[in-house]
Amino acid sequence: MLRRHRRAARLTLEQLAEASGVSARTLSDIERGRSKGPQHRTVVAVADALSLAHDARQQLLELARDARLRDHWTRPTGLCELPRSVDDFTGRAAELAWIDNLVRNELAPGVAVVGLITGSAGLGKTTFAVRAAHAVRARFPDGVFFLDLFGMSQRPLTVDDALGLLLGALGVADQQLPSDIQGRASLYRSLLRERRALVVLDNAASEEQVRPLLPGGGAARVLVTSRRLLSGLEGVRRLVLGPLQLPEATELLTGILGDRSAIDGEPALTRLAQLCGGLPLALRIIGNRLVSRPDWGADELARRLADEERRLEQFKAGDLKIANAFGMSYEQLAPAARRIFRRLAVVPGRDFDATLAAVAGSTSVEEAWDALDDLVDLGLLLDGAAGRYRFHDLVRLFARDRLQQEETAARRAALVDRTTSWLLRMATTAGRWFEPAYGRPGVDESGLVALSSLAQAEAWLRVNVDNWLGALRHAAGSGQDEAVLDCAESMHWFSDRWVHGSHWSEVFTLGARAASALGDLTQHATQLNYLAWVHGIPPGDPEAALRCATEALSLATRTGATEQIAWSNHYGAIALRKLGRLDEAIASASRAADVFKAAGDADSYYSAVNGLGYCLLEAGRHDDALERLREALALADDKDSGMTPSIAAHLRPFTQAHLGKCLALLGRRADAIAVLTEVSAVDEQLGPSYWRADALERLAALLAEEGRTADSRRAYTRAAEMYGAIDDSAAHRRCADRATAEP
């Protein structure tokens, strides 16, 4: 416009400069756009020299004023500068790729691109966001801005102040700031609309704090970090940070340590990384402690951290302290949620549901649900499938520390006792569901989860195994022998449905100790017989099984407990068979069968006859074995035999598996295939077991001999899967190789 007016006046730059008193250089800069916002007095002098009419003069003055304002708003300020990134940043490759894709993404007009990064304290959200912002900085020529919203402090940054800081960083002078939030937010959105800028809003407190700080669309991008889930924010892309995997955690610790990592050695650093639970803040603290104390060894620090009672206090280095990070989240909770959080430290297992949280927290299930939601929202709990919740290991230690600091010793003891008692009563009641004649007089089910089926009872016992097993340990350690024995005894029938559970040895060992402490010789023998059964499960420990059965026999003989004498002989026979002492095994199995038959115990007699048949089979007496196995099956099939139908249905497949092997050894391949095929179709509810895997492997071999290659491969594949499920790696590889071998 200035050029047009000058030319209309037929003036050169030099002539206009002489008439206005403004240098020719300044006039040239204005005309070429180098000086976009000239001073008011300069423009007035030029307008006077040009003798502009009123409207033309006013237009020139207004254009210059608007340009000056734009210049104020766009000049670099140095405010909200992005912090530096750390040079030992490690991992998060997939998450960085997610950020890269986010900033490239183009949405519909008017739709803002916003990435929300959430996660609990110590996961390195800020460090990650800063690293990501530096990585994509070249794509944002109009600036990358960082603002800490102080969401975890007692006084988070107000929206008004946040907008003021961001507008200042975008070049708006203080005197140009609108006085109201709506005006500031509108100006903020208008400035971002046409700019390729990235704004990092760190440590957000709430949706209300963040919403006015989001752009209204255009080229700008925003990253928000928060410990809270901010689930009310609409139209944002969500990224949840989790702990680092062990290799990445070890790599980060190694990077922090630098050259000294070679001295400490990989095993010690890996152990330290494990104890840090994959939390970058914990790794940073431990790494800094080692770097600042050259005489310390990683092994020694790992030993200190191994002590759970003192582990939390070891995570501090200078002004870094992991308990402070957790404490900021804890302080955000309402008093009721704090109480439930710290009391959840008494839960013995890895995870829990709202019902157990209510028991531990001394509250209603409804209040527990509300507290659990708040705890998940702040990252103090992790939620999983089917309404289960769990602590990070270090957060659990923080909860325990809060419990010790804020509850009296008497209150803590009462909390543990109540939670332990509830878990034991619940486990005992659930276990009783599997007894042939369910229930017993006087069972106190008040306050327990209502179970209405075997499936519900089994589901509860399986999913809560860490909790009721932890309660059993506590009860055993505190002399609650009757409760321990009652719980262990209730697991007898259920253990048959979870044969390869790794905990049965401990359960029945604690049961045997409780019975011994109570002076109950018969129950002591009973629990030892259960232990003999556990040690007999393949791959097993037949020597330990024989010791348990022998001790049980001695105790049962002293008290005249005929049933336990028979079971001792039965389990002793299994151990002797596996030790290759077949004549002794046959004799012991025969004694068991005779006692059970004389007692009229059809269920137990079936087990003894089946066991005797297997001993005869292993001894090469195939015809005798066939006779005994068929006798057992006839009992199961005879409705008038006196067997409990559920027990007959449960035990029959075991006998069929032995029978299939026997028929195969007798050269009756077709009959063996028919029997083993029936076994392979047994209800999957029985779960994986060695005898089912063995039957499938034997069937696969027989099918291969028949030239039925495809059927054989399928059987080998199923056998491999089942061996894998029971952790028999050698058998798994063997069957897997045969399933894929060339015919």
Side-chain angles (χ1 to χ4, degrees), residues 66-239:
D66 291 346
R68 283 196 301 276
L69 289 176
R70 285 196 302 272
D71 185 48
H72 278 301
W73 293 346
T74 57
R75 71 182 187 277
T77 65
L79 298 175
C80 298
E81 177 62 22
L82 187 66
R84 70 182 182 92
S85 181
V86 292
D87 60 359
D88 50 30
F89 182 91
T90 301
R92 305 293 194 200
E95 292 86 347
L96 288 170
W98 185 89
I99 295 290
D100 187 73
N101 182 65
L102 179 83
V103 300
R104 292 174 181 272
N105 195 24
E106 296 292 342
L107 300 181
V111 179
V113 179
V114 179
L116 174 60
I117 304 162
T118 60
S120 60
L123 284 172
K125 297 179 295 299
T126 300
T127 301
F128 168 74
V130 168
R131 180 69 167 204
H134 278 289
V136 300
R137 188 166 199 162
R139 295 190 190 144
F140 297 98
D142 294 325
V144 175
F145 306 100
F146 178 93
L147 182 62
D148 188 348
L149 299 177
F150 296 99
M152 288 296 106
S153 72
Q154 294 299 314
R155 297 181 62 187
L157 194 65
T158 66
V159 173
D160 192 37
D161 288 343
L163 285 168
L165 289 168
L166 289 169
L167 286 171
L170 290 168
V172 180
D174 290 345
Q175 61 269 28
Q176 302 297 334
L177 287 175
S179 59
D180 62 306
I181 291 177
Q182 290 77 11
R184 291 187 177 193
S186 178
L187 178 58
Y188 171 71
R189 289 192 296 270
S190 70
L191 292 177
L192 284 183
R193 184 175 297 112
E194 303 301 328
R195 302 191 187 197
R196 294 292 301 179
L198 174 65
V199 179
V200 180
L201 302 173
D202 187 46
N203 194 14
S206 66
E207 293 90 341
E208 291 78 8
Q209 185 191 38
V210 169
R211 279 196 185 97
L213 310 181
L214 302 182
R221 302 289 186 264
V222 172
L223 295 179
V224 182
T225 75
S226 179
R227 293 190 192 182
R228 294 188 180 276
L229 297 177
L230 302 186
S231 53
L233 282 183
E234 59 281 336
V236 300
R237 307 296 177 90
R238 296 177 179 275
L239 174 66

Side-chain angles (χ1 to χ4, degrees), residues 506-585:
E506 183 177 7
V507 169
F508 297 129
T509 295
L510 293 176
R513 290 174 182 168
S516 177
L518 292 168
D520 189 333
L521 299 185
T522 299
Q523 267 298 324
H524 193 182
T526 302
Q527 298 296 313
L528 285 170
N529 276 328
Y530 296 162
L531 267 178
W533 168 79
V534 172
H535 291 307
I537 297 169
D541 184 348
E543 293 284 3
L546 186 57
R547 285 195 300 272
C548 289
T550 301
E551 185 179 354
L553 179 60
S554 174
L555 291 170
T557 301
R558 286 167 58 188
T559 61
T562 304
E563 182 182 15
Q564 294 309 315
I565 290 172
W567 280 117
S568 299
N569 276 289
H570 174 71
Y571 291 123
I574 294 173
L576 289 165
R577 172 176 58 79
K578 292 183 177 183
L579 291 169
R581 296 160 60 177
L582 297 175
D583 289 341
E584 294 174 80

